[in-house]
Amino acid sequence: MKNILKLLLVALLAAPVKLAAQMPAVEMADTFRQDGKIYVVISIMAIILLGIAAYLFALDRKIGKLEKKD
Amino acid sequence: MKGIWWKALGIILVLYSIIAGLLGEVPRLVILNETIRVLYYHVPMWFSMVAMMTISLVFSIRALGEKRGADLRASEFAQTGFLLATLGLLTGMVWARFTWGNFWTNDPKLNGTAVTMLIYLAYFVLRNSVEDPAKKARLAAVYNIFAFVMMIVFIGILPRMTDSLHPGNGGNPGFNQYDLNSDMRPIFYAAVLGWILIGTWISSLRIRYKSLSNEEHS
Amino acid sequence: MKAIFRVVQLNFQLEWSERRSYFSILIYVLSTVYLSNLVFNEILSPESWNAFFWVIFLFAAVQAAYRSFYFEADQRFLLYYGWVKPEHLILGKIIYNFFYLLAVALFTSGFFGFLMGFPIASPGAFITVLTLASLGFSSILTLVAAISAKAGNNPALPAILSIPLLYPQILTLSKLSIRSLTGFSWEINAQLLIVLALLALVSLLLSFLLFPYLWRD
């Protein structure tokens, strides 16, 4: 009984590994990530977003000032 | 809507979607490969566009009740929605070129977008061709309500009746409910909420600017 | 009910007294159909037959309905205002336009078939589609005609405003009608027919609800 359980456990644990091995490897940008270049992309996108945000905040303040004048 | 917190929240959510979206794990799928991450950047354009158009619809309904300023708000929210739709269309075209091989395909979702944009262009044309503000408000509100219903029919109901090339439809690998896994979902929802907040912010800036210049004229 | 009927009757009498608007639609259909016959100097496949037919009918319908509120914008409007409720007015106009568009549709398909051949496998289905199309078109086009009359009769406006709104219907319609050309099964297409009928109904309801806001001055 114990042996059967053990076998079942092993089979269950091994199943995903086996499945993964059978699937054709889908190409992803793994080396690119390993090189750490992805952080370059992230920084660029973050800078653009924050730049636009700063611009919008400045615009918001300018309009606010005009509204106070009236 | 005064206060800075919700504007900052919008920026932070989108920033989070950029960082987590590029670093996080995604399912490895054929055809899509890394472009599955486009889900975080392209699809929120559509969700936030629909949100902007819905807000525009609410203001149009209020404009029918002769509520002051509602017409201006409806129009400005529709404009922001149009901007988001344009961005969504352009990003989608780039993605489609490298995934399906063409900038434009006669996919129901693409047609839906094109028609939505035509409908709202017609709405802007109508607004521009009426001078009298009270009349403009009424005509534009009536058309906007009609336009919104037709948009929902076109992007929400008709695509369900035909196959789409889009990931998740008709045997395409992609982000349907099984594939949009638990890693991706929070980032996607954060991006959608973030863009809705930013869209509202942009619209509110335009509304405030327009009402200032209207006051100056009168 | 009586008031609605009265609007339909009056509308027809007034339009009949100026018959040239009917003739202009007639000539429009004749010349465009003949033009497509000249350009396509061969037997059309059912797909092209379908595409040509719906494009011609769409523009004929826009032209025909454009005149719905042509006069009301100034003089006749005063006449109506006293005794007709806007709800009755819009329903009457939609009913009138429905019959008008149906007649235009039948005439167009008749003349089109005369010149280009009748590849219709299931006439019953085709006429059902035409009827539903006329209903949906007339609901949308009547409201749009009212909007553009109020916006000051800019001749380009009706086409710009109505065609995008008609897209959902046209897409469903052409899909259905191509099936009626090649062989129609009522069971398979019941779903699409229901969608089409619902679209027409929704447009009718929206026009009915929104028109009173448009009409008060």
Side-chain angles (χ1 to χ4, degrees), chain B residues 64 66 115 118-119 122-123 125-126 129-130 135 138-139 142-143 145-147 149-150 153-154 158 161-162, chain C residues 140 143 147 150-151 157 160-161 164-165 167-168 172 175 191 195 199 202-203 206-207 210 213-214 216-217:
Chain B
L64 283 183
E66 312 268 320
V115 171
L118 281 176
I119 289 179
Y123 170 67
V125 169
L126 174 65
S129 57
V130 188
K135 195 191 231 182
R138 253 180 309 129
L139 296 187
V142 166
Y143 191 77
I145 294 168
F146 220 109
V149 174
M150 287 298 142
V153 167
F154 213 105
L158 290 189
M161 321 221 55
T162 35
Chain C
I140 289 181
L143 188 76
I147 292 178
K150 281 275 170 184
L157 213 49
I160 296 173
L161 293 183
L165 291 182
Y167 271 120
T172 324
K175 211 174 287 165
Q191 198 193 11
V195 168
L199 266 175
V202 166
S203 324
L206 275 174
S207 295
L210 291 175
Y213 292 103
L214 209 63
R216 62 165 189 238
D217 249 328

Side-chain angles (χ1 to χ4, degrees), chain A residues 1-31:
Chain A
M1 193 60 200
K2 225 177 182 181
N3 270 343
I4 296 172
L5 268 180
K6 231 182 201 169
L7 215 76
L8 211 75
L9 201 72
V10 169
L12 273 175
L13 281 175
V17 179
K18 222 177 167 189
L19 266 176
Q22 274 168 355
M23 272 205 294
V26 177
E27 207 179 311
M28 299 294 243
D30 291 322
T31 15

Side-chain angles (χ1 to χ4, degrees), chain B residues 2 7 21 25 31 39 43 45 59 99 109 111 113-114 116 135 187 213:
Chain B
K2 291 272 160 182
K7 298 163 185 168
E25 274 300 314
I31 305 175
L39 172 78
V43 186
M45 293 293 126
F59 280 117
T99 319
K109 283 195 173 132
N111 283 332
T113 315
T116 304
K135 195 191 231 182
I187 305 175
S213 63

Side-chain angles (χ1 to χ4, degrees), chain A residues 23-24 26-30 33 38-39 41-42 45-47 49-50 52-54 56-57 59-61 63-67 70, chain B residues 2 4 7-8 11 14-15 18-19 22-24 26-30 33-34 36-37 41 195 198 201-202 205 208-209 212 215:
Chain A
M23 272 205 294
V26 177
E27 207 179 311
M28 299 294 243
D30 291 322
R33 278 163 202 287
I38 192 70
Y39 297 106
V41 179
I42 292 177
M45 286 171 75
I47 289 168
L49 179 72
L50 291 176
I52 291 173
L56 283 176
F57 272 118
L59 194 62
D60 203 324
R61 286 217 4 228
I63 294 176
K65 270 181 196 160
L66 277 178
E67 279 169 338
D70 289 332
Chain B
K2 291 272 160 182
I4 199 172
K7 298 163 185 168
I11 297 292
V14 174
L15 193 64
I18 290 178
I19 296 170
L22 288 175
L23 287 181
V26 290
R28 291 169 171 253
L29 299 171
V30 280
N33 303 342
E34 287 278 1
I36 192 170
R37 291 175 200 276
Y41 313 112
W195 281 111
I198 292 178
W201 184 14
I202 294 173
L205 284 176
R208 284 162 66 189
Y209 159 72
L212 274 176
E215 269 169 35

Side-chain angles (χ1 to χ4, degrees), chain C residues 8 20 25 50 57 68 83 85 89 94 115 117-118 132 142 151 156-157 163 192 210:
Chain C
V8 177
R20 62 198 156 85
I25 295 300
N50 195 37
F57 175 56
S68 309
W83 62 273
K85 279 188 182 167
L89 183 60
I94 287 175
L115 280 183
F118 258 119
L132 284 175
T142 310
L157 213 49
I163 291 175
L192 271 181
L210 291 175

